[in-house]
Amino acid sequence: METRITLKELAASLNLSVSTVSKSLNDSTEISPITKRRVTELATLKRYVPNNMAQNLRGKKTKTLGIIIPNIFSDFFAEALSSMEEQSDKRGYNIIISFTNDSLEKEIECINKLIHRRVDGIIISPTLTESQFGSSTHLNKLSEYNIPLVLFDRILDNVACDKVGLNESLLAEEATLDLCKLGCKKIAYFSNISNTSIGNQRISGYSDAIKKIKGKKQIINFHKIDLKISLKHLIGTNSIDSILADDGLSSILIVKSILELGYRIPEDISMLNFSNGIFSHYLSPSLTAIDSKPIEQGKIAVDILIDRIEDRLSPELLDFRLEVSLVHRESTRRLVPSI
Amino acid sequence: METRITLKELAASLNLSVSTVSKSLNDSTEISPITKRRVTELATLKRYVPNNMAQNLRGKKTKTLGIIIPNIFSDFFAEALSSMEEQSDKRGYNIIISFTNDSLEKEIECINKLIHRRVDGIIISPTLTESQFGSSTHLNKLSEYNIPLVLFDRILDNVACDKVGLNESLLAEEATLDLCKLGCKKIAYFSNISNTSIGNQRISGYSDAIKKIKGKKQIINFHKIDLKISLKHLIGTNSIDSILADDGLSSILIVKSILELGYRIPEDISMLNFSNGIFSHYLSPSLTAIDSKPIEQGKIAVDILIDRIEDRLSPELLDFRLEVSLVHRESTRRLVPSI
DNA sequence: CTGAAAGCGCTTACAG
DNA sequence: CTGAAAGCGCTTACAG
């Protein structure tokens, strides 16, 4: 079935040696223009395609990156992945993509598979479990195989490698202070990812901000409550005037509940969330959100990884934290201009 | 930098031949248990990992599939891709994923790259341009390389290969008839993808249904109108009582416009759309939609491709069209039970 | 039970 | 300018 033509067959048809044919195809200066032309012509005619496997076997590099992310169901990961693919392509690298669905077991399997496939480097956004319990031996072992690793978005402290992400704590603090600036005084954080490293950083940033504005800390674990009942109580007792939410999905549910309870956004409650996905644009009301720049982050992660692979970086490990900005939309009150 | 241990080094340390070590590692029955143990112990200790490149070079198969899709920003493709990844993994295949962003040029590049990489097979959902103009020489040439191809979701007639998708025409017809059954009489189709093969099939199915119910055909090209003005006019003049929309995004915009115009869904206008994405679930009102079963479709595409690769299929090409169903939600009227 | 040898398809010193 | 030879890391007939 596999009938693709090889260098050897090409050489035979041309009455040339394999070396000459190979050099011709690689446009080596050693070869005469006439021979080159003969070779390339036949190669085109016979649809010769070099065997990457053989080339890589000699070259020791596979020009392939492994990318491991939890899923592509959030806009953040979808856009980040898309951007990584584009940038890898631009720099001449292929990618092998795996999704863990936040299963640590699958993540470990993936890592092993990528080692087997001899990828030149790996970008990973680890599972939440891992970020909770920090059992990252499978990541740390990559250095023993000399496979560069870039930790993306979900950054772990116990892994020594290049890192690309956000300053989640600072971000949460700024978001909280922003709500305050817009006139909110009772700001609750509905956390959807508590107990993870990112979740904890956000909580810490939120807490710092609340302390600064001398407010009352109200951290609500999204998974542990009956949303509608909680909201009814919180708003009814005038305990909150604004909500900081983790992701698009929880925002949607919160908005839906608030509206169904008969309250208005932003008049009664302001909403701000960490995910600037397509939801935030198109929901009614549209949501003020933190633009975490997945496109830029993805590109940077790929660039750092390839630079590391190609030895263009100084040995110190990078810890790149992107500056991000708030996108104000309908879900938060306008700032009343002071005269 | 690359210091991974090879069979040869392993053999040297053990005072064995390369063949014996190789066989031991592959658990061959030729080798004595004692030797096997010695070998595997040292291999583990030294973290030996076989070089896939070399293995593939001998075996002629790469156990790798190429997957080319336009993007992962719709829930459909995201879920389909996720499912393909899972199924490939289950069956022992790796995948290389590329996104075309609906650029035919990028698609052609991808195909060439995958040929170079000697993938065992390819699944593709072609660009819209291609589905409009049908210039598919780059797809047809795959058969010359003996690379099996599965056309996914966006199915072209001019490519001879296995196909997995929906019966878009039937689907559109049934959706239209369903609206009719729910009491709608003036059904407009807001097409977001006219001029593509899928778009045309849907239009034809919609047209058939309209003919059956003796209604008036109203096909509106989503891109060519000012949405709000059009809707105001159509609803104001009582020209439509229901809308069939292509995808999630256009549905959102339509819903938003209708609500802003002060009309109610489904009381004034019923909405049904072809995309059962997360939007359809969570929008207020939630949207009645066609469940196109991306998970199942993705799995089937992978299974067919691998079965084709492994020669488990009869030579006739498959054209698999999945049965799908409507999911009724808030955006369409309830059926009034007849007594 | 073990090993020497050939070969997968390429590239690249080296020789002529 | 062309070619013979070695070698990338493996597997698998074949011989012993």
Side-chain angles (χ1 to χ4, degrees):
Chain A
M1 165 131 175
E2 291 286 322
T3 54
R4 264 164 275 179
I5 195 170
T6 66
L7 266 196
K8 206 164 131 188
E9 295 165 312
L10 224 45
S13 310
L14 289 161
N15 266 321
L16 285 170
S17 74
V18 173
S19 349
T20 305
V21 175
S22 169
K23 284 174 195 159
S24 301
L25 259 15
N26 291 320
D27 207 20
S28 155
T29 49
E30 292 180 42
I31 307 296
S32 77
I34 311 138
T35 310
K36 271 190 197 169
R37 186 136 36 82
R38 282 185 63 213
V39 173
T40 46
E41 268 171 15
L42 189 70
T44 314
L45 182 70
K46 297 271 190 187
R47 291 187 211 85
Y48 170 75
V49 174
N51 184 327
N52 270 193
M53 297 286 140
Q55 290 177 315
N56 290 331
L57 188 54
R58 289 221 74 213
K60 294 307 188 61
K61 287 289 178 190
T62 56
K63 286 270 181 182
T64 300
L65 310 180
I67 295 179
I68 303 176
I69 55 178
N71 60 66
I72 40 171
F73 300 128
S74 75
D75 292 316
F76 177 81
F77 283 127
E79 289 180 26
L81 177 59
S82 218
S83 152
M84 289 179 190
E85 194 269 344
E86 192 182 330
Q87 187 64 11
S88 306
D89 192 55
K90 255 190 206 145
R91 297 198 56 174
Y93 280 73
N94 285 286
I95 56 176
I96 297 179
I97 302 170
S98 303
F99 309 119
T100 61
N101 294 312
D102 273 314
S103 145
L104 183 55
E105 197 186 355
K106 174 120 197 250
E107 179 175 309
I108 294 172
E109 269 172 34
C110 285
I111 292 281
N112 286 328
K113 208 167 60 176
L114 293 176
I115 295 175
H116 277 252
R117 303 221 89 208
R118 291 279 200 282
V119 292
D120 295 340
I122 294 176
I123 296 175
I124 188 171
S125 190
T127 63
L128 287 177
T129 334
E130 194 174 345
S131 111
Q132 280 172 43
F133 303 110
S135 51
S136 306
T137 43
H138 58 295
L139 295 185
N140 281 312
K141 93 175 169 192
L142 285 173
S143 63
E144 298 169 1
Y145 291 102
N146 279 318
I147 301 178
L149 175 72
V150 172
L151 222 39
F152 178 77
D153 183 54
R154 298 178 178 177
I155 294 181
L156 309 170
D157 293 331
N158 59 338
V159 182
C161 66
D162 294 311
K163 296 167 186 184
V164 176
L166 305 177
N167 187 333
E168 301 283 347
S169 151
L170 187 61
L171 220 122
E173 183 174 341
E174 288 177 353
T176 311
L177 293 177
D178 191 83
L179 280 173
C180 177
K181 229 186 302 170
L182 294 173
C184 301
K185 307 215 178 321
K186 301 166 187 166
I187 307 167
Y189 174 29
F190 279 60
S191 172
N192 198 15
I193 49 167
S194 35
N195 259 328
T196 64
S197 63
I198 288 189
N200 292 337
Q201 287 161 38
R202 288 185 183 168
I203 285 176
S204 123
Y206 162 81
S207 303
D208 288 351
I210 291 295
K211 199 175 292 172
K212 269 191 195 157
I213 63 175
K214 302 197 194 334
K216 190 181 156 217
K217 216 157 83 174
Q218 301 189 72
I219 298 168
I220 289 133
N221 188 326
F222 192 81
H223 293 293
K224 294 204 174 144
I225 55 164
D226 181 307
L227 189 56
K228 212 156 171 180
I229 294 178
S230 296
L231 282 168
K232 186 171 182 173
H233 175 256
L234 286 168
I235 307 177
T237 58
N238 200 20
S239 307
I240 65 172
D241 58 14
S242 52
I243 293 176
L244 199 60
D246 267 327
D247 55 10
L249 199 51
S250 52
S251 297
I252 289 165
L253 296 173
I254 293 171
V255 167
K256 204 165 180 165
S257 295
I258 292 177
L259 296 178
E260 284 172 10
L261 286 168
Y263 294 106
R264 294 158 306 161
I265 299 173
E267 292 81 355
D268 299 316
I269 293 286
S270 283
M271 282 279 307
L272 188 158
N273 86 102
F274 283 91
S275 151
N276 190 35
I278 203 164
F279 272 124
S280 296
H281 286 271
Y282 290 113
L283 218 60
S284 303
S286 59
L287 301 180
T288 294
I290 289 165
D291 178 6
S292 40
K293 303 193 178 152
I295 313 268
E296 288 83 341
Q297 283 200 62
K299 179 175 177 306
I300 291 167
V302 166
D303 278 335
I304 289 181
L305 181 58
I306 296 181
D307 286 344
R308 180 67 71 198
I309 290 168
E310 298 179 350
D311 224 7
R312 302 165 188 270
L313 255 32
S314 68
E316 301 92 69
L317 294 173
L318 266 46
D319 188 349
F320 191 97
R321 303 299 174 122
L322 211 72
E323 289 282 327
V324 298
S325 53
L326 268 170
V327 183
H328 287 95
R329 297 207 186 81
E330 297 165 357
S331 70
T332 40
R333 309 181 196 177
R334 305 277 122 203
L335 185 57
V336 185
S338 51
I339 310 169
Chain B
M1 167 133 174
E2 292 286 321
T3 52
R4 265 165 275 180
I5 196 169
T6 67
L7 267 195
K8 207 164 127 188
E9 295 165 314
L10 224 44
S13 311
L14 289 160
N15 264 321
L16 286 170
S17 73
V18 174
S19 351
T20 305
V21 175
S22 170
K23 285 174 194 160
S24 301
L25 258 15
N26 291 320
D27 207 19
S28 156
T29 50
E30 291 180 43
I31 307 296
S32 77
I34 310 138
T35 309
K36 272 189 197 169
R37 186 136 35 83
R38 279 185 64 213
V39 173
T40 46
E41 267 171 14
L42 189 68
T44 315
L45 182 69
K46 296 272 190 186
R47 289 188 211 86
Y48 169 75
V49 174
N51 184 328
N52 269 195
M53 298 284 139
Q55 289 177 316
N56 290 331
L57 187 55
R58 290 220 73 212
K60 294 305 187 63
K61 288 288 179 189
T62 55
K63 286 272 183 177
T64 301
L65 310 179
I67 294 178
I68 304 177
I69 54 178
N71 60 66
I72 39 170
F73 299 129
S74 75
D75 292 317
F76 177 80
F77 283 126
E79 288 179 27
L81 177 59
S82 217
S83 153
M84 289 179 190
E85 194 268 344
E86 193 181 329
Q87 188 63 9
S88 306
D89 191 55
K90 255 188 204 147
R91 297 198 56 174
Y93 281 73
N94 285 288
I95 56 176
I96 297 180
I97 302 170
S98 302
F99 310 119
T100 61
N101 295 312
D102 273 313
S103 146
L104 183 55
E105 197 187 354
K106 173 117 198 253
E107 179 175 311
I108 295 172
E109 268 173 34
C110 286
I111 292 282
N112 286 329
K113 208 167 60 175
L114 294 176
I115 295 175
H116 276 254
R117 302 221 90 208
R118 291 279 199 284
V119 292
D120 294 340
I122 293 176
I123 296 175
I124 187 171
S125 190
T127 62
L128 287 177
T129 335
E130 195 174 344
S131 111
Q132 280 173 43
F133 303 110
S135 52
S136 306
T137 44
H138 59 294
L139 295 184
N140 281 311
K141 93 173 169 192
L142 285 174
S143 63
E144 298 168 2
Y145 291 103
N146 280 318
I147 300 178
L149 176 71
V150 171
L151 221 40
F152 179 79
D153 183 54
R154 299 177 177 178
I155 294 181
L156 310 169
D157 292 332
N158 60 338
V159 181
C161 66
D162 294 310
K163 295 166 186 183
V164 176
L166 305 177
N167 187 333
E168 301 283 347
S169 150
L170 187 62
L171 219 121
E173 184 175 341
E174 288 178 352
T176 312
L177 293 177
D178 191 85
L179 281 173
C180 177
K181 231 183 306 169
L182 294 174
C184 301
K185 306 215 179 320
K186 302 167 185 165
I187 307 168
Y189 174 27
F190 278 60
S191 173
N192 197 16
I193 49 168
S194 35
N195 261 326
T196 64
S197 64
I198 288 190
N200 292 337
Q201 289 163 37
R202 287 185 184 170
I203 285 176
S204 124
Y206 163 80
S207 304
D208 288 352
I210 291 293
K211 199 175 291 171
K212 270 192 194 157
I213 62 174
K214 302 200 195 330
K216 190 180 155 217
K217 216 158 83 173
Q218 302 190 71
I219 298 169
I220 288 132
N221 188 326
F222 192 82
H223 293 295
K224 293 204 174 142
I225 55 165
D226 182 307
L227 189 55
K228 212 154 170 182
I229 293 177
S230 298
L231 282 169
K232 186 171 182 173
H233 175 254
L234 287 168
I235 305 176
T237 60
N238 201 19
S239 307
I240 65 172
D241 59 13
S242 52
I243 293 175
L244 199 60
D246 268 328
D247 56 8
L249 200 49
S250 51
S251 297
I252 289 165
L253 297 173
I254 293 171
V255 167
K256 202 163 180 166
S257 295
I258 292 177
L259 296 179
E260 283 172 11
L261 287 167
Y263 294 106
R264 293 156 307 161
I265 300 172
E267 291 81 354
D268 301 315
I269 294 284
S270 282
M271 282 280 307
L272 189 157
N273 86 103
F274 283 92
S275 150
N276 191 34
I278 203 164
F279 272 124
S280 296
H281 287 271
Y282 290 112
L283 218 61
S284 303
S286 59
L287 301 179
T288 292
I290 289 165
D291 179 7
S292 40
K293 303 193 178 153
I295 313 269
E296 287 84 341
Q297 283 200 61
K299 178 176 179 306
I300 291 166
V302 166
D303 278 335
I304 290 182
L305 181 58
I306 295 180
D307 285 345
R308 181 66 72 198
I309 290 168
E310 297 179 350
D311 224 6
R312 302 165 187 271
L313 256 31
S314 68
E316 302 92 70
L317 293 172
L318 266 45
D319 188 350
F320 192 97
R321 304 298 175 124
L322 211 71
E323 290 281 329
V324 299
S325 52
L326 269 170
V327 183
H328 288 96
R329 297 206 185 81
E330 297 166 357
S331 70
T332 41
R333 310 180 196 178
R334 303 277 122 205
L335 185 57
V336 185
S338 53
I339 310 169

